[in-house]
């Protein structure tokens, strides 16, 4: 690939079109299984109507799993208030918080701010967005619909297209 073609590359040319999405209603346990099954560490989150509503990563699962007990109970309480209009008593909350990964959903742990780029964004623009937001993946959208995803590894592959190994200098 020539330097000219390399500089003309856009998000569309380096994005992965195989877009694996998580549903906001999945349990955290199901999300973890999904990540393991597909060997991925994050995914866009869609609602039941397929609208893009957030992004979730392995880090979000880790943060939730290591959350202190009182915050986990509060997450459960909020979930049941929002979804079922039920206000759980403290005894039920204590019992259920031990199984929070089975009782809480992706919606509760996902990042609701969606950082995306247009398909015609240059690769350098995509990289700048990722660096500025300290993220490892960005959703590519067209008319507010997710059409692909670009990871930091996709950008590295783009920079090293011919597969030559770099020699480490000591």
């Amino acid at each position: 690939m020539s330097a000219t073609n390399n500089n003309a590359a856009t998000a569309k040319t380096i994005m992965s079109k195989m877009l694996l999405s998580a549903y906001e209603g999945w349990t955290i346990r199901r999300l973890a299984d999904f990540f393991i099954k597909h060997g991925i560490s994050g995914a866009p989150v869609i609602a039941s109507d397929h609208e893009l509503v957030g992004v979730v990563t392995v880090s979000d699962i880790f943060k939730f799993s290591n959350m202190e007990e009182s915050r986990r109970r509060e997450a459960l309480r909020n979930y049941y208030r929002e979804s079922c209009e039920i206000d759980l008593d403290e005894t039920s909350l204590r019992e259920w918080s031990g199984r929070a990964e089975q009782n809480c959903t992706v919606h509760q742990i996902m990042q609701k701010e969606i950082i995306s780029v247009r398909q015609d964004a240059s690769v350098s623009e995509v990289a700048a967005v990722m660096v500025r937001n300290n993220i490892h993946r960005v959703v590519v959208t067209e008319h507010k619909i997710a059409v692909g995803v670009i990871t930091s590894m996709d950008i590295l592959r783009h920079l090293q297209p011919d597969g030559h190994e770099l020699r480490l200098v000591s």
Side-chain angles (χ1 to χ4, degrees):
M1 183 178 285
S2 73
T4 305
N5 288 343
N6 201 12
N7 290 337
T10 62
K12 185 176 183 174
T13 60
I14 69 165
M15 73 181 188
S16 172
K17 292 176 184 133
M18 188 177 127
L19 189 61
L20 297 172
S21 300
Y23 287 91
E24 69 176 337
W26 282 356
T27 64
I28 295 169
R29 172 78 39 111
R30 182 171 180 185
L31 175 67
D33 291 342
F34 173 75
F35 284 165
I36 291 166
K37 176 182 177 185
H38 294 287
I40 59 175
S41 61
V45 179
I46 56 176
S48 58
D49 63 358
H50 298 283
E51 178 187 352
L52 184 62
V53 293
V55 177
V56 68
T57 67
V58 170
S59 295
D60 297 318
I61 295 172
F62 182 76
K63 287 175 195 169
F64 180 80
S65 296
N66 291 295
M67 187 183 290
E68 57 183 63
E69 187 69 23
S70 62
R71 290 188 61 216
R72 194 182 282 201
R73 282 198 306 264
E74 191 58 30
L76 272 171
R77 176 178 278 131
N78 290 339
Y79 170 71
Y80 282 99
R81 277 183 187 151
E82 290 172 14
S83 63
C84 307
E85 297 182 6
I86 296 172
D87 208 4
L88 294 175
D89 61 88
E90 200 62 33
T91 305
S92 296
L93 281 171
R94 276 196 194 98
E95 181 183 327
W96 291 4
S97 69
R99 299 186 317 264
E101 286 84 5
Q102 297 160 346
N103 296 319
C104 290
T105 64
V106 169
H107 179 81
Q108 293 171 270
I109 66 168
M110 71 182 189
Q111 302 300 313
K112 292 176 178 84
E113 180 184 2
I114 302 163
I115 299 170
S116 63
V117 295
R118 298 174 330 279
Q119 290 189 84
D120 63 349
S122 70
V123 173
S124 62
E125 288 175 308
V126 173
V129 166
M130 293 170 77
V131 169
R132 186 173 44 252
N133 291 285
N134 196 27
I135 56 176
H136 298 280
R137 74 188 45 75
V138 65
V139 178
V140 181
T141 58
E142 180 179 357
H143 307 293
K144 298 184 181 181
I145 296 171
V147 293
V149 66
I150 298 173
T151 66
S152 42
M153 189 57 73
D154 295 322
I155 292 176
L156 291 173
R157 282 189 195 104
H158 169 72
L159 295 173
Q160 192 63 32
D162 53 6
H164 291 287
E165 290 186 26
L166 297 176
R167 296 179 199 208
L168 296 178
V169 179
S170 52

